[in-house]
Amino acid sequence: MSELRDEIHAVARRYPARRSAVIPALRLAQERYGWLPPEAFREVAAALDLTPAYCKSVASFYDMFHLEPVGAHTVEICTNVSCALVGAQRTLEAFERELGIRAGETTRDGAVSLRTIECAGGCGWGPVVAVDHRYREPVRPEDVPAIVGELRRTTGGA
Amino acid sequence: MAPRHVVFELAESADVTRLSDYERAGGYESLRKALAMEPAQVIEELLASGLRGRGGAGFPMGRKASFLPKPDQTPKPIYLAVNADESEPGTFKDREIMLRVPHQVIEGILISSYAIQARAAFVYIRGEYLTEYEVLRTALEEALDRGLVGANILGSGYSVTIVLHRGAGAYICGEETGLLESLEGKRGQPRTKPPFPAIAGLYAAPTLINNVETLATVPRILALGGENYAKLGVENSSGTRVFSLSGNVARPGNYELELGMSLRDLIVGIGGGVPGGRQLKAVIPGGSSTPVLTADELDTRLDFDSMARAGTMLGSGAVIVIDDRCCMVQLALRVAQFYRHESCGKCTPCREGTRWMVEIIRRIEQGAAGQGELDLLLNVCDRILGRCLCPLGDAAAMPVASYVAKFRSEFQRHIDEGGCPFRGTSSLEGVLAPVDEHHARARARIEVPA
């Protein structure tokens, strides 16, 4: 708890106003908890002298903050125009088949969350898939089993 | 003749991501040159170069910098905000610039900060760009160690700090006032203008906001001289731009070209044209918010004025190539879904209008729309255009209205035939958008088991 507070205070010192550290602080909290549970908002709020409600109102605006628990790994597929034109939907469907879940869901063992995202900025190298926030470009349906196998191995899942 | 590179010139023959290699290639010489000049002289060079912003709006950088008060004219500190929130669909150039010439970005930030006498610069980099953030962070650490950033830079007496600030996933934070709100630790909802950021920006202090590519061009302008830079390109569109080429094209990628070449030069000459024996159907010339061009308009030149004459915009320089497998109604749906997802909700025409656009286009695609609904769609677009605080609403309405204007018979066929004439063969068939996913999950949550 105090360790997180110290980290948040260190970040806040970079800015002329402490409130600017809300997003970096929420990120630090999310790295700790895997998502943003109520205690994360309480801790961020206490460290920055804000209210938990304010911190949650900020977090809910941004796509990268998770207000519900997510899997140990995240797979995010860009389905915006450029990626869609070169087969993003087929890549998404390959992940759905391989993981046995639909986009927006997490595998029953909590290993992998799958979702679609808007343009990731890899349009010329699509379809872009972000695996644990690292871009893989391009990912074709035939590449999917190996990626899923890699994720299963590193979570000890079936 | 090989294309003339400016932004990527130093990276052509060597890897210049490390400070020592960048310096060997001539890096940070422009900073030394700038620090020996008066700040106003640096702005004069930028004005002489004709450099226009590379983020999308194309506002002349020197003029924007000249709008800021001088330090003795304001009680507040002056700031530079760097827009590295590249999010316009189709655009991936700033990412490559940060990866390949990170020190040139930092040098551009330092020179521009000096020109406006900024006390601090904040780099707002989109949260998804993790590797790019790490590359910039490494470069910044090297520059700090070398005394190029911080107090009394190179003994000049000028001091400035640079803070890297990661976003967290919101297209609207690429809009300059949304960016400032986000940087202040708020929801990224755009502000009313005026006051413009040059007068009241970050923490209500005078703030200059520039895109990554614009700033990466600045050291090169100092090296070449503003007037020499202005000789590149064409009238009102000086210099080079890094174009992002994507979609149904043989050789997608980022290509730095002098402004004024034709779309044909880029798509066919450099990009190898449409692959697989397919026909070109449409081109989105400047990111998904720009009105579409047809295959008949390939000779349109890639400069601000030529694009304006063709009824569209150079935007962020993102050229998306679309072949004849694509249903334009599905394209309209996917584009509208994006802007609906990213609408911040502040202005009613955008918040409600983008939702209605998606609903009507979906009805047309599904064959459920009546004869009046195409005009209803245009009517909704018209009620968004120019009626919002920021350009996001326009960014949804303009392209969709252009698809209807240029491919009206295709939209009409959906209504007349009671469904998509592509019958499941369109390249965008069934594409799932994040908004679909959110709504499916919201519905699942409120289902009450019997």
Side-chain angles (χ1 to χ4, degrees):
Chain A
M1 166 103 186
S2 65
E3 195 185 314
L4 179 63
R5 192 181 56 208
D6 292 346
E7 283 179 69
I8 292 172
H9 284 167
V11 170
R13 279 193 288 276
R14 294 179 200 155
Y15 301 94
R18 191 163 43 180
R19 192 181 53 198
S20 281
V22 172
I23 289 175
L26 289 169
R27 179 177 285 109
L28 288 168
Q30 182 162 286
E31 281 167 7
R32 161 156 314 193
Y33 291 102
W35 63 295
L36 291 172
E39 56 265 42
F41 292 119
R42 285 197 291 271
E43 289 177 50
V44 169
L48 295 173
D49 201 16
L50 297 163
T51 64
Y54 178 80
C55 296
K56 190 168 184 178
S57 83
V58 172
S60 67
F61 190 80
Y62 298 93
D63 196 56
M64 293 177 75
F65 290 128
H66 303 298
L67 303 182
E68 292 167 23
V70 290
H73 296 290
T74 55
V75 173
E76 299 168 307
I77 299 162
C78 170
T79 64
N80 205 295
V81 175
S82 296
C83 285
L85 284 170
V86 295
Q89 183 62 22
R90 285 185 292 284
T91 298
L92 170 62
E93 287 162 7
F95 273 106
E96 289 183 328
R97 271 196 308 277
E98 201 67 29
L99 291 165
I101 54 173
R102 307 289 299 273
E105 297 177 347
T106 300
T107 54
R108 205 173 279 271
D109 61 359
V112 184
S113 288
L114 177 69
R115 68 167 182 163
T116 56
I117 53 169
E118 288 296 2
C119 184
C123 321
W125 308 303
V128 178
V129 176
V131 178
D132 294 336
H133 310 294
R134 297 284 176 187
Y135 288 11
R136 314 268 179 118
E137 303 161 299
V139 177
R140 313 251 176 242
E142 57 270 27
D143 304 322
V144 169
I147 293 172
V148 171
E150 181 190 319
L151 296 178
R152 292 244 188 254
R153 272 195 304 281
T154 51
T155 40
Chain B
M1 199 179 78
R4 174 64 200 269
H5 292 172
V6 174
V7 174
F8 285 131
E9 186 179 9
L10 302 187
E12 260 163 30
S13 45
D15 176 344
V16 293
T17 51
R18 305 308 300 226
L19 176 57
S20 51
D21 296 320
Y22 181 65
E23 284 185 314
R24 201 168 303 122
Y28 289 108
E29 280 307 314
S30 294
L31 174 64
R32 288 186 168 80
K33 200 168 169 180
L35 291 173
M37 296 159 70
E38 287 298 319
Q41 286 179 288
V42 178
I43 292 179
E44 285 302 319
E45 284 296 318
L46 296 174
L47 284 166
S49 76
L51 176 65
R52 294 174 65 169
R54 296 332 194 195
F59 197 84
M61 186 202 173
R63 267 181 65 203
K64 191 150 78 170
S66 71
F67 291 157
L68 274 86
K70 307 290 171 275
D72 57 4
Q73 296 167 332
T74 171
K76 300 203 171 209
I78 294 168
Y79 296 119
L80 175 71
V82 182
N83 192 341
D85 194 53
E86 180 168 69
S87 310
E88 173 73 9
T91 319
F92 51 104
K93 65 186 176 66
D94 291 339
R95 189 179 157 204
E96 185 164 342
I97 291 168
M98 290 187 278
L99 289 175
R100 289 181 64 198
V101 286
H103 278 289
Q104 194 170 309
V105 175
I106 291 172
E107 187 179 7
I109 292 169
L110 292 168
I111 295 168
S112 306
S113 295
Y114 175 73
I116 58 167
Q117 292 290 292
R119 181 186 296 180
F122 296 90
V123 183
Y124 191 102
I125 179 168
R126 71 176 289 185
E128 293 86 350
Y129 281 2
L130 176 57
T131 304
E132 293 72 14
Y133 161 74
E134 290 167 347
V135 168
L136 267 190
R137 187 180 58 187
T138 302
L140 182 58
E141 282 164 4
E142 284 186 309
L144 274 165
D145 285 348
R146 191 66 62 89
L148 295 162
V149 180
N152 190 20
I153 296 168
L154 298 171
S156 66
Y158 174 65
S159 304
V160 67
T161 57
I162 297 178
V163 177
L164 302 184
H165 182 92
R166 294 180 65 200
Y171 168 79
I172 194 60
C173 294
E175 192 281 332
E176 60 180 11
T177 61
L179 183 152
L180 295 175
E181 287 287 295
S182 182
L183 193 47
E184 290 184 7
K186 302 176 197 164
R187 295 163 69 88
Q189 295 187 301
R191 299 174 180 173
T192 312
K193 290 190 279 193
F196 288 91
I199 307 302
L202 188 63
Y203 316 115
T207 306
L208 177 66
I209 305 166
N210 283 127
N211 163 266
V212 166
E213 184 183 354
T214 313
L215 290 165
T217 306
V218 167
R220 310 296 303 137
I221 287 172
L222 268 283
L224 294 165
E227 282 181 19
N228 286 326
Y229 180 85
K231 288 176 191 157
L232 299 169
V234 294
E235 196 183 357
N236 284 332
S237 298
S238 66
T240 65
R241 280 194 76 158
V242 181
F243 290 97
S244 297
L245 183 63
S246 70
N248 303 126
V249 63
R251 289 187 292 274
N254 287 317
Y255 297 101
E256 184 177 359
L257 304 173
E258 267 188 68
L259 285 157
M261 291 179 73
S262 72
L263 271 172
R264 189 184 304 282
D265 294 332
L266 174 61
I267 296 170
V268 181
I270 295 169
V274 174
R278 293 281 166 182
Q279 295 298 309
L280 179 73
K281 182 172 185 177
V283 178
I284 295 174
S288 72
S289 63
T290 58
V292 74
L293 296 173
T294 64
D296 296 335
E297 296 171 288
L298 265 197
D299 291 314
T300 309
R301 298 200 169 273
L302 290 159
D303 62 70
F304 291 101
D305 294 350
S306 300
M307 284 289 162
R309 276 195 297 274
T312 186
M313 293 181 299
L314 201 52
S316 58
V319 177
I320 305 174
V321 182
I322 296 166
D323 75 21
D324 56 357
R325 290 171 300 171
C326 180
C327 164
M328 297 307 280
V329 178
Q330 291 182 13
L331 177 70
L333 178 62
R334 188 66 190 85
V335 168
Q337 285 176 316
F338 170 73
Y339 291 102
R340 178 185 175 187
H341 187 256
E342 302 300 335
S343 173
C344 81
K346 185 166 180 169
C347 308
T348 308
C350 172
R351 182 186 66 244
E352 299 302 318
T354 52
R355 187 172 73 85
W356 278 106
M357 284 173 67
V358 169
E359 294 307 313
I360 298 167
I361 299 166
R362 196 192 304 280
R363 286 170 58 79
I364 295 171
E365 171 59 21
Q366 290 172 345
Q371 287 296 340
E373 290 190 42
L374 201 43
D375 286 327
L376 178 63
L377 174 62
L378 291 175
N379 186 301
V380 171
C381 291
D382 200 43
R383 282 161 194 263
I384 297 172
L385 274 170
R387 289 174 163 81
C388 307
L389 290 178
C390 94
L392 192 143
D394 292 0
M398 286 188 306
V400 168
S402 80
Y403 306 158
V404 177
K406 293 194 172 167
F407 296 90
R408 184 151 186 141
S409 62
E410 195 173 317
F411 281 76
Q412 188 61 45
R413 271 189 73 191
H414 282 72
I415 296 172
D416 294 344
E417 296 176 17
C420 182
F422 283 80
R423 308 203 187 289
T425 63
S426 163
S427 51
L428 294 182
E429 180 68 29
V431 169
L432 184 75
V435 279
D436 295 326
E437 206 185 287
H438 296 329
H439 293 127
R441 291 175 68 199
R443 274 198 302 276
R445 269 199 295 273
I446 57 171
E447 256 176 39
V448 180

